[in-house]
Amino acid sequence: MPEAASAPATRAVIGDSEFDRDTEVVRRAPGVYDIDLSAGWTIISAVNGGYLLAVLGRALADTLPHPDPFTVSAHYLTASQPGPAVIRTETVRTGRTLSTGQASLYQYDAEGNEVERIRVLASYGDLAALPDDVRTSAVPPAMPPLERCLGPADGPAPVDGSSAITERLMLKLDPATVGWAVGAPSGKGEMRAWFGLADGRDADPFSLLLAVDALPPTAFEIGLTGWVPTVELTVHVRHRPAPGPLRVSITTRNLAGGFLEEDAEVWDSEDRLVAQSRQLARVRLG
Amino acid sequence: MPEAASAPATRAVIGDSEFDRDTEVVRRAPGVYDIDLSAGWTIISAVNGGYLLAVLGRALADTLPHPDPFTVSAHYLTASQPGPAVIRTETVRTGRTLSTGQASLYQYDAEGNEVERIRVLASYGDLAALPDDVRTSAVPPAMPPLERCLGPADGPAPVDGSSAITERLMLKLDPATVGWAVGAPSGKGEMRAWFGLADGRDADPFSLLLAVDALPPTAFEIGLTGWVPTVELTVHVRHRPAPGPLRVSITTRNLAGGFLEEDAEVWDSEDRLVAQSRQLARVRLG
C-alpha cells in the first residue's frame, strides 16, 4: 500500500484525530454551535476554506436528520481568523431521501459585534443508503505513485505567511505540477496531489470537504502569485471514501476578468470519484 | 449571421420581451416580491428550474447594490407550479466589488400556507467593471452550424407532458446528441445546442441563468428516461454575452448511486465562455 511509506507509526482513527478535534462543534442551543477555530489550519493570513466547510458540515450534520453532506454551496464573505466562532443553522426542508439546511459562521469585531464569515446552503442524505450502480465515464487522474510525488520538505517554502495547514496534511504534489514552486510554472491550470491527513486518519465525507480546497491554487501554475480568495465553492460528495490516500486533481480552464473557476475531483483508493467541486475565486495580483 | 435564418421578423429587445415580462418581479415591500409564475416555461410537470433561477436573479438584482449575478447557488426544495409566488430576499453582505444576497421563492398549499420551492445564495458584481484580460484554455464546443442542428419540429415529441417551454426557446440540438429522441441514445453523457429566445431577444446575464438548465437532460443520451430533478445548481456568469445565438454544451461524467452531475458551458457569438454551471440531479428511473 502506498500510504505505508508516509503514514505515522500509529494511525489516528475517524472520530479521534486532530481533524475531528479541530472541527468539533459544541451545541449551545438547538441550531447554535460554538467552536474555537484552530490556528493549525491557516494558510497565508486566513483559516483554510475547506477546514471551515468541514466545520459547518459537522454543525449541519447535527442539525439535519441525514448524516452525510451530498451538496454544499458556500459563499465566503469575510476572511476567518483563528479563535472563537459561533455557527447558526436552520433546517430548511426535511424529506425522506434528502434534507436541506443553511448555516452561517460568525466571528466578532473589536466591539464584540458578530461578523458573518461564510454562509452555506446544503443538502444532506445517507451515502450508505444509495444503490451501488456506477455508469461513469470519468477516469482517475494520471499521476505518479505517491512515493514519486513531492511534499513541502522537498522544495522551497511555497508562500509567505502561515503554512500551518501543511503540517496537518499528507500532501504530495505531482512533480509535473510543481513548476511554480521553483519559479517555472507550466502555464497550465492544473494541480494534482496525493492527499491524506498527517496523523493517518482515513477520509470520510467531512474530510472530503477539506480535500477539495487544500491544494495550492491552480493560479500558481498559470503563473500568477498572491492571494486567490474563494468567492463561492460548491462540493458534491458522491460516495463514502475507501481507506487509503486520496488523489485530488484541480483544474482551471477559464481565467478572465479577474476571476477564475477551480474544479476539483477527489478519487479514492478504489478508483471511485468520491467528490467533485467547483469554486469561483478572485485573482489578486501579487 | 446564422440567427437570421430562424429569428422572427421583428426581434424583441432586452427589457421588452416575453422573457422579461414573465420574469418580472413586483416589489411589495423592501425585500419582498410578487410574481405570477408563467405556465409558458413548464416542462413535463413543473416550472423549469432555469426560469426560476432567472426570476430569483431579478429579485436579487433589485435588492443588492450590484447589477449582475456572478455566482448563484440554488437548492431546489419542492417542484414549482405555474401561479402566484412570493420571493423574500436578504442582503447578506455588501462590498465594493461584490455583494452577497439570499432569496427564497414560496408558493401556497391548499390551506394557503407558504411552501418554500427554492432557496438561493448569490454573489453579485458589475460585469461591465471587470478588466478585459482573458487567459483561458477552454475552447468552444465543436458542433455543426445552427442550420444543420435540429429543433422540436424536426423529430418526435421528446417527452410526455408539458413542453410549453420549447415554444419560448430557439433550441437547435447538435444531431450527434439527439439519438435519445429516436430511441438510440449515444451512451455518452453529452448534449449540445444552439440556444436563444424564440422572440429573438438577445442574451443577458439573466437569460444565461435560464440557458444553463434549458436543454434536455444529458441522462437521455446516457439511455435513461424519466424525470431528472435538480437537487442543486450553481452557475457562474463570467462575461456579458454578445448579441447572437449562444452555444450550450452540457456533459455528465459521473452517474453513480442514483445521482449525476451535469456541467454546462455557455459560449457567445464572440467565442467567449460567458457562463459555467454544475448541477447535482437525482435519477428517477422512468
Side-chain angles (χ1 to χ4, degrees):
Chain A
M1 293 291 288
E3 77 268 35
S6 59
T10 305
R11 297 168 60 95
V13 297
I14 293 172
D16 184 21
S17 77
E18 195 169 42
F19 176 76
D20 296 303
R21 288 187 290 276
D22 288 349
T23 58
E24 186 174 12
V25 296
V26 177
R27 180 162 41 178
R28 184 205 298 177
V32 185
Y33 302 86
D34 290 303
I35 185 166
D36 199 45
L37 296 178
S38 164
W41 303 85
T42 51
I43 182 73
I44 310 181
S45 58
V47 179
N48 171 264
Y51 164 74
L52 293 170
L53 214 51
V55 167
L56 286 159
R58 289 192 64 182
L60 280 169
D62 185 81
T63 299
L64 296 172
H66 292 93
D68 300 313
F70 275 28
T71 169
V72 182
S73 308
H75 286 246
Y76 292 80
L77 307 169
T78 54
S80 298
Q81 304 300 328
V86 61
I87 297 165
R88 301 182 194 283
T89 66
E90 172 195 350
T91 300
V92 176
R93 175 181 175 270
T94 59
R96 193 172 53 85
T97 308
L98 293 172
S99 53
T100 301
Q102 178 173 316
S104 291
L105 184 143
Y106 302 85
Q107 291 188 303
Y108 308 94
D109 66 13
E111 286 76 45
N113 302 308
E114 285 188 356
V115 180
E116 190 169 354
R117 300 299 194 202
I118 172 176
R119 186 178 293 206
V120 308
L121 276 177
S123 292
Y124 275 53
D126 183 355
L127 289 170
L130 297 183
D132 213 41
D133 68 293
V134 179
R135 287 204 239 177
T136 187
S137 61
V139 293
M143 52 190 290
L146 194 155
E147 296 78 5
R148 295 222 298 275
C149 291
L150 303 173
D154 300 311
V159 289
D160 291 331
S162 167
S163 56
I165 192 174
T166 61
E167 297 164 28
R168 311 270 95 67
L169 303 180
M170 186 286 293
L171 191 64
K172 298 282 191 180
L173 293 168
D174 182 340
T177 67
V178 298
W180 58 275
V182 292
S186 70
K188 290 192 281 191
E190 299 179 4
M191 199 81 72
R192 290 180 292 275
W194 292 91
F195 176 92
L197 292 165
D199 62 10
R201 174 196 188 275
D202 280 318
D204 74 346
F206 298 111
S207 73
L208 293 179
L209 303 184
L210 168 68
V212 298
D213 196 32
L215 270 60
T218 51
F220 288 179
E221 270 297 271
I222 298 177
L224 304 172
T225 55
W227 189 229
V228 191
T230 304
V231 176
E232 173 269 324
L233 187 158
T234 296
V235 53
H236 300 171
V237 176
R238 302 296 302 276
H239 199 272
R240 187 171 293 279
L246 303 167
R247 284 155 293 172
V248 183
S249 167
I250 59 176
T251 54
T252 292
R253 297 170 67 234
N254 193 49
L255 163 60
F259 288 81
L260 54 81
E261 97 287 359
E262 195 179 276
D263 287 2
E265 288 185 358
V266 185
W267 294 79
D268 74 4
S269 62
E270 295 180 352
D271 281 355
R272 285 234 193 210
L273 180 51
V274 291
Q276 292 171 292
S277 76
R278 173 174 289 163
Q279 66 172 273
L280 183 69
R282 284 177 76 175
V283 176
R284 294 188 191 267
L285 297 179
Chain B
M1 293 291 288
E3 78 268 35
S6 58
T10 305
R11 295 168 60 95
V13 297
I14 293 173
D16 184 21
S17 76
E18 195 170 42
F19 176 75
D20 297 303
R21 287 187 291 277
D22 288 349
T23 57
E24 186 175 11
V25 296
V26 177
R27 181 164 41 179
R28 184 206 297 178
V32 185
Y33 303 86
D34 290 303
I35 185 166
D36 198 44
L37 296 178
S38 164
W41 302 86
T42 50
I43 182 73
I44 309 181
S45 58
V47 178
N48 171 263
Y51 164 75
L52 293 170
L53 214 51
V55 167
L56 286 159
R58 289 192 65 183
L60 280 169
D62 185 81
T63 299
L64 295 172
H66 291 94
D68 300 314
F70 276 28
T71 169
V72 182
S73 309
H75 286 246
Y76 292 81
L77 306 169
T78 55
S80 298
Q81 304 300 328
V86 60
I87 297 165
R88 300 183 194 282
T89 65
E90 172 195 351
T91 300
V92 176
R93 176 182 175 269
T94 60
R96 193 172 53 85
T97 309
L98 293 173
S99 53
T100 300
Q102 178 173 316
S104 291
L105 184 143
Y106 303 85
Q107 291 188 304
Y108 307 94
D109 66 14
E111 286 76 43
N113 302 309
E114 285 188 355
V115 179
E116 191 168 352
R117 298 300 194 201
I118 172 176
R119 186 178 293 205
V120 308
L121 275 177
S123 292
Y124 275 54
D126 183 355
L127 289 169
L130 297 183
D132 213 39
D133 68 295
V134 178
R135 285 204 240 178
T136 188
S137 62
V139 293
M143 52 191 290
L146 195 154
E147 296 79 5
R148 295 222 298 275
C149 290
L150 304 174
D154 300 311
V159 288
D160 291 332
S162 168
S163 58
I165 191 173
T166 61
E167 297 164 27
R168 312 270 94 68
L169 304 179
M170 185 288 291
L171 191 63
K172 297 282 191 180
L173 294 168
D174 182 340
T177 67
V178 298
W180 58 275
V182 292
S186 69
K188 290 193 281 190
E190 299 179 4
M191 198 81 72
R192 289 180 293 276
W194 291 92
F195 176 92
L197 293 165
D199 61 10
R201 174 197 188 275
D202 280 317
D204 73 347
F206 299 111
S207 73
L208 293 179
L209 303 184
L210 169 68
V212 299
D213 196 33
L215 271 59
T218 51
F220 288 180
E221 270 296 272
I222 298 176
L224 304 172
T225 56
W227 191 228
V228 191
T230 304
V231 175
E232 173 268 324
L233 187 157
T234 296
V235 53
H236 301 171
V237 176
R238 301 297 301 275
H239 200 273
R240 187 171 293 279
L246 302 167
R247 284 155 292 173
V248 183
S249 167
I250 59 175
T251 53
T252 293
R253 297 170 65 234
N254 193 48
L255 163 60
F259 288 81
L260 54 81
E261 96 287 0
E262 195 179 276
D263 287 1
E265 288 185 358
V266 185
W267 293 80
D268 74 4
S269 61
E270 295 180 352
D271 280 354
R272 286 233 193 210
L273 181 50
V274 292
Q276 292 170 293
S277 76
R278 174 174 289 164
Q279 66 173 269
L280 183 70
R282 284 176 75 174
V283 177
R284 294 188 192 268
L285 297 178

